[in-house]
Amino acid sequence: MALELWTHDAWTGDELERVDRYAVEAGTDWSTNIGGTGESSWPMHAGYGAEALTGQRLDELFKGGARLLSLRWGSTVLGAWKTESWDYGDTDGVAIVKAVELRSEWKWRKTYGVDAYEAGTLTVTNRSHAGAVRAVLERWMQYGNPDWRYPVDLPADEGGSFSQTWEFWKKLTIEDLISQIEAEGYEVVLRPYLTAGRQLRFQTLVAQRVRVGLSSFKLHDADSPLGGVRYMKTSAEQITGAQGAGAGTGQDQPVRWAGAGPYDIPIRDAGRKFPDLDGDRLQAATNAWYAQSRNPAAQWTVGSFTLSDDHPAEDVTLARGWELEVVGHPVFPLGIHPLRLVAVSGSWSTQVKTEVQGVV
């Protein structure tokens, strides 16, 4: 089986055309990650010849902002991106298509259209963090307005402790709002998948640590797909107390704290700014930072994963859970270690680069 690249309509996710037959292998580069900041670059044959793309075809297939790309192994989507540009050079007859992950759109849209500025205030009351994300993304897509839509599945609308009003006059972006929710120790991940009707869609996942599915590996198996395994313990970011500084400046700036003994290092209290938060939201963000940083971090690195029929792309989809079993090793801690995949990158090779994170 080989990797395939397909184009899709950005509004609906409808499949348009397979385009890897035009690809130039050298220079291809793609990445995807939990934070949604992945990028991709796709050199394509263009200009003259039967297997080359004309300018008209480049516009049809890769129109900036109006097309999505999916990199697939069978029906499994390894990564998906929104097209931004194509750049053709006549010397080598290659057009380079650039695309970014869909979350990048959150930095552009605000809570209102430019013709409805004063209607931009958004209030969320007594919702879970997933419910708050749902409310924000509903506003992002203007409640199903065809001109504003993306093929995104919203999380469930659940009750909880999250309440917040975002005033229109602050001119906040959707990314600003999502980042405030994430500051309380949550992740919001747009995870691409292919429907039975071959539409590209994005599942919105909200959790303190997003983890989907499970694959198990033994470290030194002869047929292990893993390469470049490393293990590190670090206290570089460890703290004994956390002070969160919120919205405002000077004596009027709200401050919250978190921390408690016993301590296994000399006192290292530290501060962090949360410039958009106050009250309960500021305390929750401070608590989350302290919980994440109070202990030394154990970090596994798995430098590569080789795709095959025995180890398909499903094993390296974003946020995939891994169990890594270590037996009889003099340095690595023994036992079964729960991990998750937080970043994947590669080219047209069946060997992809991976970044994993321990799951506490």
Side-chain angles (χ1 to χ4, degrees), residues 135-149:
V136 172
L137 296 188
E138 283 181 324
R139 180 64 65 89
W140 174 48
M141 295 186 287
Q142 290 295 310
Y143 309 100
N145 184 314
D147 291 332
W148 291 67
R149 63 181 167 160

Side-chain angles (χ1 to χ4, degrees), residues 19 36 102 107 126 129 132 146 154 173 181 190 197 203 211 213 222-223 230 285 290 297 311 326 341:
V19 295
L102 186 57
K107 296 179 180 178
N126 295 332
H129 289 81
L154 300 177
T173 65
I181 297 170
L190 294 178
Q203 181 184 17
R211 192 175 185 220
D223 64 345
R230 300 181 62 87
Y290 176 67
H311 301 289
V326 179
L341 205 63

Side-chain angles (χ1 to χ4, degrees), residues 88-94:
Y88 172 72
D90 202 37
T91 301
D92 56 7
V94 171

Side-chain angles (χ1 to χ4, degrees), residues 33-53:
N33 59 62
I34 288 287
T37 60
E39 300 177 333
S40 61
S41 180
W42 308 94
M44 298 284 171
H45 289 290
Y48 303 98
E51 290 301 312
L53 293 164

Side-chain angles (χ1 to χ4, degrees), residues 19-25 42-59 61-62 86-97:
V19 295
D20 50 88
R21 70 178 184 274
Y22 303 113
V24 178
E25 185 168 340
W42 308 94
M44 298 284 171
H45 289 290
Y48 303 98
E51 290 301 312
L53 293 164
T54 64
Q56 179 181 350
R57 289 285 286 147
L58 284 165
D59 277 338
L61 294 172
F62 306 112
W86 60 264
D87 180 7
Y88 172 72
D90 202 37
T91 301
D92 56 7
V94 171
I96 299 176
V97 178

Side-chain angles (χ1 to χ4, degrees), residues 43-125:
M44 298 284 171
H45 289 290
Y48 303 98
E51 290 301 312
L53 293 164
T54 64
Q56 179 181 350
R57 289 285 286 147
L58 284 165
D59 277 338
E60 290 173 354
L61 294 172
F62 306 112
K63 183 179 179 181
R67 297 290 181 263
L68 300 171
L69 302 177
S70 68
L71 181 66
R72 295 169 8 197
W73 176 276
S75 61
T76 299
V77 179
L78 264 176
W81 304 266
K82 179 186 66 67
T83 58
E84 288 206 319
S85 66
W86 60 264
D87 180 7
Y88 172 72
D90 202 37
T91 301
D92 56 7
V94 171
I96 299 176
V97 178
K98 298 279 191 179
V100 297
E101 291 196 282
L102 186 57
R103 178 166 177 159
S104 65
E105 283 302 297
W106 294 351
K107 296 179 180 178
W108 290 91
R109 286 188 185 174
K110 299 185 182 297
T111 58
Y112 52 84
V114 293
D115 59 343
Y117 168 56
E118 294 184 355
T121 295
L122 178 61
T123 297
V124 175
T125 304

Side-chain angles (χ1 to χ4, degrees), residues 333-346:
L334 308 183
I336 296 176
H337 303 279
L339 308 171
R340 65 178 186 140
L341 205 63
V342 296
V344 190
S345 60

Side-chain angles (χ1 to χ4, degrees), residues 274-329:
F274 299 94
D276 297 316
L277 302 183
D278 197 355
D280 292 344
R281 303 278 66 77
L282 177 59
Q283 184 65 64
T286 304
N287 292 346
W289 172 40
Y290 176 67
Q292 182 181 2
S293 303
R294 64 178 300 178
N295 296 312
Q299 181 175 325
W300 289 89
T301 299
V302 179
S304 66
F305 185 103
T306 302
L307 298 170
S308 66
D309 291 339
D310 292 329
H311 301 289
E314 184 180 20
D315 289 339
V316 285
T317 50
L318 196 60
R320 181 74 174 181
W322 283 8
E323 285 184 346
L324 180 61
E325 184 177 0
V326 179
V327 178
H329 198 282

